[in-house]
Amino acid sequence: MFTSESVGQFQASLRGALVQPDDPNYNAARTIYNAMIDKRPALIAQCRDVADVISAVNFGRKEKLDIAIRSGGHHGAGLCLVDNGLVIDLSPMKGIRVDLQTKTVRVQSGCNWGDVDHATHIFGMATPTGIVSTTGVGGLALGGGVGNLTRTYGLTIDNLLEADVVLADGSFVTANEKTNSDLFWALRGGGGNFGVVTSFLFRLQPVSTVYGGPIFWELKDVGKMMRFWHDFIMEAPEHVNAYFGYHTVPPVDMFPKEHQLKKAGMIMWSITGDLSQAEAVVKPFRRLITPIIDFAGPLPFPALQAILDPLMPPGLQWYWNADFVNQLSDKAIETHLEHFAQSPTASSGMHLYPINGAAHRAGPKDTAWSYREANFAQVIVGVDPDPANKEKITTWSKTYWQAMHPHSAGGAYINMMMDEGQERVKAAYRDNYPRLAEIKKKYDPTNLFHINQNIKPAR
Ligand SMILES: Cc1cc2nc3c(=O)[nH]c(=O)nc-3n(C[C@H](O)[C@H](O)[C@H](O)COP(=O)(O)OP(=O)(O)OC[C@H]3O[C@@H](n4cnc5c(N)ncnc54)[C@H](O)[C@@H]3O)c2cc1C
């Protein structure tokens, strides 16, 4: 364990702050998005640059500390914190540079996706990310990245061109298709297992105004609408993105009073390309069943990315369950409805994200992300502001997931799972796990970076 002298030397080597339990900022520094997580690290190194990250990795390794890596602090399981260990907090590293010549953006890991959208939208471009603006770049990009542009331009990792990484031995490397290509392969879906990524280079796509936003239907109509949506999205052209959600209509002014607190089904649209054709895409849905709320229309892409932010503020209790899904049978839809009808709180719900279209162009062995043939990433979230409801939302989410799991493809997206053990991590990677374990052995043989969805080094 470290001494005050060794900590003093470590602190002196940093440009950023080193926060300890007696620091007035300690509670703020250990607070993350999911209020269900309450971990007490011994040290939080708020890194300002690559040199700080190298010092932190070297200190943690020499002092035999458990090390957690934090970017946006959004992972449901709180894997960016560790009790009694060292947190390498990248959130102060917020540099972004758009290169108009190469149509790329270089992003430091502490940015959130709203920062990136802001920097690129001014040039009429975007890179595919998630469905809210507050998630961190680091964790989302390394886990895969599923969102409002997936069917059009692939997963976030399909747009990753390069990463700068501090390895477990403190060395600093670049990974791309030509240099450290094995590491580059593993970083595209393998999570935080292989080193601390300090910056990412992403390809930019021509996305500016989209036809997007949510349309809601009453619960009694949701089964019919879900079937229609499923059959449509399996074959839809790639410029159409539309995920299905179960939500309780929030009791806030922007929603009509008469529908507030009703359980409902929602389709969130994100249609790119020639927007004059977008109404025609949505029309059959509006015609099939009259919606109760309809907010879909042209809007700037960053506005679509931030549309759910006010409904998902930090500081709520969250319990996540996930699976990949190949297709929805009638029985699966029936089971979904049965469980959503029992959702215990107004913020709890389910999303089914299409991951077909452009995301199917890469094969299961092309990146660490194995489930390339799956058509959907499903996530069930029990959510509530009140810690007293923790058990209630957890039990509902687990029970719902257990009922749906037989209808799934088996494994799940690592960014939408809790800390569920080795078998679930292996199920996420399937045949790619042995190769990931070999790459882990090469770049992190002692498993220094193990506070994550852990891939063990091959023996
Ligand atoms: C409200 C909400 C909405 C979400 N929506 C989506 C969505 O639309 N699409 C989607 O794909 N996911 C989504 N997610 C899940 C999201 O991808 C994960 O929560 C992800 O971990 C967020 O990244 P982060 O940097 O904020 O996480 P953190 O909690 O900071 O990090 C999570 C883990 O990633 C690893 N890690 C993070 N940064 C680095 C780094 N720089 N180097 C090495 N390892 C690192 C570490 O192991 C860390 O424990 C959502 C999450 C929330 C809470």
Side-chain angles (χ1 to χ4, degrees), residues 33 69 71-75 79 90 130-131 136 139-140 146 192 195 197 413 415:
Y33 182 83
I69 308 168
S71 285
H74 269 54
H75 196 281
L79 296 171
L90 304 166
I131 58 127
L140 184 140
V146 171
V197 176
Y413 174 29
N415 275 354

Side-chain angles (χ1 to χ4, degrees), residues 427-449:
Y429 294 112
R430 301 190 295 188
D431 295 351
N432 286 341
Y433 191 90
R435 184 172 177 203
L436 284 163
E438 287 297 337
I439 296 171
K440 177 79 172 171
K441 182 177 164 189
K442 178 173 168 189
Y443 289 97
D444 182 14
T446 65
N447 205 1
L448 184 72
F449 303 116

Side-chain angles (χ1 to χ4, degrees), residues 215-229 244 265 267 269 282-294:
I215 302 183
F216 291 79
W217 286 270
E218 278 195 83
L219 193 58
K220 69 177 174 50
D221 298 321
V222 168
K224 185 173 175 186
M225 186 49 74
M226 202 171 179
R227 162 62 51 220
F228 189 67
W229 161 83
F244 206 97
I267 299 178
W269 297 92
V282 182
K283 197 171 173 184
F285 289 81
R286 289 177 166 138
R287 259 215 195 132
L288 182 70
I289 304 165
T290 306
I292 53 170
I293 299 163
D294 189 341

Side-chain angles (χ1 to χ4, degrees), residues 254-333:
M254 68 180 280
F255 295 96
K257 265 244 158 353
E258 69 272 23
H259 297 306
Q260 289 179 12
L261 291 175
K262 275 187 185 167
K263 289 186 199 296
M266 176 201 81
I267 299 178
M268 181 70 81
W269 297 92
S270 168
I271 303 175
T272 64
D274 177 1
L275 298 191
S276 67
Q277 306 299 312
E279 289 274 349
V281 174
V282 182
K283 197 171 173 184
F285 289 81
R286 289 177 166 138
R287 259 215 195 132
L288 182 70
I289 304 165
T290 306
I292 53 170
I293 299 163
D294 189 341
F295 291 150
L299 78 175
F301 183 66
L304 174 66
Q305 292 304 96
I307 208 164
L308 293 179
D309 291 0
L311 306 178
M312 299 182 177
L316 307 182
Q317 311 275 311
W318 284 70
Y319 195 90
W320 296 67
N321 276 293
D323 265 327
F324 290 115
V325 173
N326 290 332
Q327 57 187 0
L328 273 182
S329 64
D330 289 343
K331 180 71 191 156
I333 293 178

Side-chain angles (χ1 to χ4, degrees), residues 32-33 68-76 78-81 90 109 111 113 129-132 134-142 144-148 156 191-198 200 312 318 320 353 413 415-416 451-453:
I32 58 169
Y33 182 83
I69 308 168
R70 173 180 180 161
S71 285
H74 269 54
H75 196 281
L79 296 171
C80 65
L81 295 179
L90 304 166
S109 296
C111 295
W113 286 108
T129 66
I131 58 127
V132 297
T134 59
T135 39
V137 166
L140 184 140
L142 292 169
V146 171
N148 284 323
T156 304
N193 275 284
F194 304 95
V196 185
V197 176
T198 53
F200 299 82
M312 299 182 177
W318 284 70
W320 296 67
Y353 304 106
Y413 174 29
N415 275 354
M416 295 184 175
I451 310 293
N452 45 38
Q453 302 288 11

